[in-house]
Amino acid sequence: MALILMSHGDMAVETLKSAELIVGQLPETVALGLHESDGPDTLKAKVVSEIEKYYQKEPIYLLVDLLGGTPGNVAVNLTQDYPELHVISGLNLPMVLNYANQMFIGEEIKIADIMNEGKAGIVDVNAFINADASEDDEDE
């Protein structure tokens, strides 16, 4: 399995660094960022180089930051040439950690689990704390 993270700026690079700080090095994983000096063709060339290392040898998961942005558009367009490429938008740290956990225990990657983990990581902490405090009040 291979994982490619792609974003505007260094979000993907820093997300990978954060994930590896938590779980250790992630093999067959790379992060690419789009910078002001880059255009879509530059980013496409970088990601195609990574895809070619693994395509039709093992599954490739491409996580992008934003659907409709340049990295997302490049990824969507690549599915024309690489129909087995799995593209997921909404890149965040919980998604990468979930991928890592599935990979490390040797499971087949479940895209729904990656997406659910990403969504579950979005929490209104104040509302969570207040709900917990309300439950404590009810117990008294």
Side-chain angles (χ1 to χ4, degrees):
M1 291 177 282
L3 178 64
I4 302 170
L5 310 178
M6 204 162 60
S7 69
H8 293 86
D10 291 326
M11 177 188 172
V13 173
E14 296 302 325
T15 300
L16 178 57
K17 285 180 185 177
S18 295
E20 290 183 331
L21 179 67
I22 296 167
V23 298
Q25 187 169 359
L26 294 173
E28 299 178 339
T29 301
V30 67
L32 304 170
L34 175 71
H35 297 96
E36 285 185 42
S37 60
D38 297 331
D41 292 336
T42 304
L43 185 60
K44 180 181 178 181
K46 290 178 188 176
V47 73
V48 165
S49 174
E50 295 299 326
I51 291 169
E52 288 292 328
K53 292 178 186 177
Y54 307 106
Y55 194 72
Q56 294 188 327
K57 297 175 192 144
E58 56 190 286
I60 303 171
Y61 301 90
L62 177 54
L63 274 59
V64 298
D65 60 349
L66 179 67
L67 188 60
T70 300
N73 291 340
V74 167
V76 168
N77 289 333
L78 286 171
T79 62
Q80 300 291 320
D81 296 326
Y82 303 97
E84 296 174 23
L85 183 65
H86 300 271
V87 178
I88 308 167
S89 69
L91 169 64
N92 64 34
L93 184 57
M95 293 171 76
V96 178
L97 294 175
N98 182 273
Y99 171 89
N101 288 333
Q102 290 184 55
M103 182 195 63
F104 286 142
I105 61 175
E107 286 188 2
E108 182 178 324
I109 299 298
K110 296 177 185 86
I111 293 172
D113 288 354
I114 292 171
M115 292 171 51
N116 288 335
E117 192 72 22
K119 293 173 189 174
I122 301 169
V123 176
D124 179 342
V125 176
N126 290 44
F128 177 79
I129 291 169
N130 291 333
D132 191 41
S134 295
E135 288 177 15
D136 289 344
D137 292 342
E138 290 173 11
D139 291 339
E140 294 177 0

